[in-house]
């Protein structure tokens, strides 16, 4: 009877909350497989959520493998840093350097981060003590549309909400093709969406400039915001490996093997933070709602900023590229290109959109660093 009792312990400890979290995990897996929404992240996250919500699961005990991965890769911010090396190796900054004006879109589109932070902080008037200022900042950073930055800041400022923050950040990144188009269409006219832009303005960026750029950005950003060095430094290090021309094998490894392996481990580890007792709360629903608003504000403000700049330009910018200032690289740029070609099949604005998109990658890191510097 004692043996039978031990075998039934798991069933006795099972609660409806565990069942709900397992269902959420299954939904993430279905979205990854059937809809192909960021499958490299959502599938491991969904399976990690199932593993951690099995009652008495050995995977999340003190010596469980998910606990070990969390301590080794999330608690010390190692996984986000490694992801940025891989992302840096994938990014080509030449579209940004050919059209430096797109850098402003990367800055403007971070408006949603600070707007969401203020909304989260104001929730204290409705529910006293729901979010302190640091936790509000961690919620706001979801608007960066940058999973590694959200994890980095969330782990420092709101570790108990890490599961909700990560799920919101990556889920909304996966849903960018559904979130951005209606916002962009609502804020632009058909004529504006048809505006043509030069692919590169006849400018050729030398290899020397491409090598100097990541070094210069690291030094300048590091001096302005020293706390940004781990994030901006790893991103630019990956880019330097790509552009130097003498480390092709390492560049390929960073883009493929390193990126794939760390993404796999990051996803399942983040899924392990989605514990029923921490995830099924009022705060989680607020985080998901505010995170969505952050994405909406980011896209909308970027488009409106592009329209504002057009007031002073003879050669107009297609305002849709302003929405690419978020860090969802390269999804956002591809979406805008598809929207442009839907209005006019001869319109190719992918390169300017990519420029805005990579500037958003830098902008999100700087925004996260500012929050860490001011509130850390």
């Amino acid at each position: 009877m004692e043996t039978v009792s031990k075998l039934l312990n798991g069933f006795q400890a099972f609660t409806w909350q565990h069942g709900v979290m397992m269902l959420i995990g299954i939904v993430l897996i279905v979205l990854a497989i059937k809809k192909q929404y960021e499958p490299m992240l959502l599938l491991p996250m969904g399976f990690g959520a199932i593993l951690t919500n099995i009652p008495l699961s050995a995977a999340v005990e003190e010596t469980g493998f998910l606990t070990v991965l969390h301590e080794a890769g999330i608690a010390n911010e190692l996984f986000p840093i490694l992801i940025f090396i891989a992302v840096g190796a994938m990014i080509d900054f030449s579209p940004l350097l050919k059209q430096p004006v797109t850098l402003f879109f990367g800055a403007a589109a971070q408006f949603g981060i600070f707007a969401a932070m203020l909304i989260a902080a104001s929730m204290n008037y409705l529910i006293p003590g729901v979010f302190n200022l640091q936790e509000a900042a961690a919620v706001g950073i979801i608007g960066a549309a940058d999973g590694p930055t959200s994890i980095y800041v969330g782990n420092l400022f709101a570790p108990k909400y890490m599961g909700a923050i990560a799920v919101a950040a990556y889920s909304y990144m996966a849903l960018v093709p559904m979130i951005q188009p209606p916002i962009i269409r609502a804020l632009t006219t058909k004529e504006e969406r048809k505006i043509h832009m030069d692919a590169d303005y006849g400018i050729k960026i030398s290899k020397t400039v491409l090598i100097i750029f990541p070094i210069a950005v690291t030094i300048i950003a590091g001096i302005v915001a020293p706390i940004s060095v781990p994030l901006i430094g790893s991103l630019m290090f990956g880019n330097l490996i790509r552009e130097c021309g003498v480390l092709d094998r390492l560049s390929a490894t960073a883009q493929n093997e390193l990126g794939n392996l760390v993404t796999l481990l990051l996803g399942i580890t983040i899924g392990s933070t989605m514990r029923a007792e921490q995830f099924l709360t009022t705060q989680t629903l607020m985080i998901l709602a505010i995170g969505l608003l952050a994405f909406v504000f980011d896209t909308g403000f970027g488009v409106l900023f592009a329209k504002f700049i057009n007031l002073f330009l003879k050669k107009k910018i297609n305002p849709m590229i302003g929405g690419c200032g978020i860090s969802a690289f390269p999804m956002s740029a591809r979406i805008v290109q598809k929207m442009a070609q839907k209005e006019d099949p001869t319109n190719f604005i992918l390169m300017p959109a990519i420029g805005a998109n990579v500037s958003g990658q830098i902008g999100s890191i700087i925004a996260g660093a500012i929050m860490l510097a001011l509130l850390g």
Side-chain angles (χ1 to χ4, degrees):
M1 291 300 295
E2 184 178 351
T3 301
V4 173
S5 178
K6 288 181 179 180
L7 291 174
L8 293 177
N9 279 345
F11 290 99
Q12 292 172 346
F14 190 88
T15 65
W16 69 267
Q17 290 93 337
H18 292 125
V20 170
M21 292 308 301
M22 288 183 183
L23 182 60
I24 291 174
I26 292 171
V27 169
L28 293 178
I29 292 173
V30 170
L31 289 175
I33 296 174
K34 189 171 182 179
K35 299 294 185 180
Q36 296 187 15
Y37 290 160
E38 288 292 316
M40 289 184 63
L41 282 164
L42 292 193
L43 192 148
M45 284 171 60
F47 200 74
I50 293 173
L51 291 178
T52 198
N53 285 288
I54 294 175
L56 311 178
S57 172
V60 290
E61 290 181 351
E62 186 176 353
T63 57
F65 86 98
L66 289 178
T67 302
V68 172
L69 284 175
H70 185 276
E71 294 301 315
I74 301 296
N76 60 7
E77 294 91 39
L78 177 62
F79 287 167
I81 297 299
L82 293 178
I83 285 289
F84 269 123
I85 293 176
V87 171
M90 299 176 193
I91 289 180
D92 178 7
F93 283 112
S94 57
L96 168 62
L97 295 171
K98 289 176 181 178
Q99 300 181 27
V101 68
T102 57
L103 185 64
F104 294 106
F105 301 138
Q110 307 311 314
F111 171 82
I113 296 175
F114 300 98
M117 174 184 169
L118 293 175
I119 292 173
S122 68
M123 290 294 103
N124 286 297
Y125 292 103
L126 298 176
I127 306 176
V130 63
F131 295 123
N132 61 38
L133 193 56
Q134 288 186 327
E135 291 168 346
V139 174
I141 205 68
I142 295 172
D146 186 342
T149 300
S150 298
I151 292 170
Y152 191 92
V153 176
N155 184 61
L156 294 174
F157 281 176
K160 65 181 178 180
Y161 299 132
M162 268 296 299
I165 290 172
V167 169
Y170 281 113
S171 296
Y172 292 145
M173 280 177 62
L175 294 173
V176 159
M178 298 175 63
I179 296 173
Q180 282 202 306
I183 301 168
I184 293 174
R185 280 193 292 267
L187 296 176
T188 58
T189 65
K190 190 177 183 68
E191 289 70 28
E192 287 175 328
R193 295 194 292 273
K194 287 184 176 181
I195 293 176
H196 285 235
M197 297 180 66
D198 291 338
D200 56 14
Y201 291 95
I203 299 172
K204 182 175 175 59
I205 305 299
S206 70
K207 193 160 194 69
T208 302
V209 172
L210 291 174
I211 291 173
I212 292 174
F213 181 77
I215 299 172
V217 169
T218 301
I219 294 173
I220 294 171
I223 292 173
V224 173
I227 202 165
S228 72
V229 171
L231 294 177
I232 198 73
S234 57
L235 181 74
M236 293 302 161
F237 174 62
N239 187 249
L240 182 60
I241 291 174
R242 171 196 175 98
E243 301 295 352
C244 69
V246 295
L247 296 174
D248 291 343
R249 289 173 60 186
L250 289 183
S251 176
T253 299
Q255 294 180 48
N256 298 293
E257 287 82 2
L258 177 64
N260 292 337
L261 178 60
V262 178
T263 298
L264 175 68
L265 297 178
L266 178 67
I268 198 168
T269 307
I270 289 300
S272 72
T273 65
M274 297 168 61
R275 300 185 179 183
E277 62 272 17
Q278 296 176 344
F279 199 87
L280 296 178
T281 63
T282 302
Q283 288 90 332
T284 295
L285 295 176
M286 288 182 174
I287 289 170
L288 294 174
I290 295 171
L292 178 59
L293 287 176
F295 268 65
V296 172
F297 289 146
D298 275 348
T299 301
F301 195 78
V303 173
L304 293 175
F305 185 74
K307 295 181 70 167
F308 173 75
I309 288 180
N310 273 345
L311 297 176
F312 307 95
L313 297 177
K314 289 183 178 180
K315 190 172 180 60
K316 304 300 182 183
I317 292 171
N318 191 312
M320 290 197 296
I321 73 169
C324 296
I326 67 173
S327 183
F329 172 84
M331 287 181 293
S332 187
R334 290 173 180 167
I335 291 163
V336 164
Q337 172 60 30
K338 288 181 180 179
M339 293 181 68
Q341 286 200 298
K342 186 176 181 180
E343 301 291 348
D344 180 355
T346 66
N347 194 3
F348 296 93
I349 60 171
L350 181 62
M351 296 312 291
I354 287 288
N357 220 173
V358 298
S359 71
Q361 189 78 62
I362 299 174
S364 67
I365 295 175
I366 297 300
I370 290 172
M371 286 188 171
L372 291 173
L374 295 178
L375 303 176

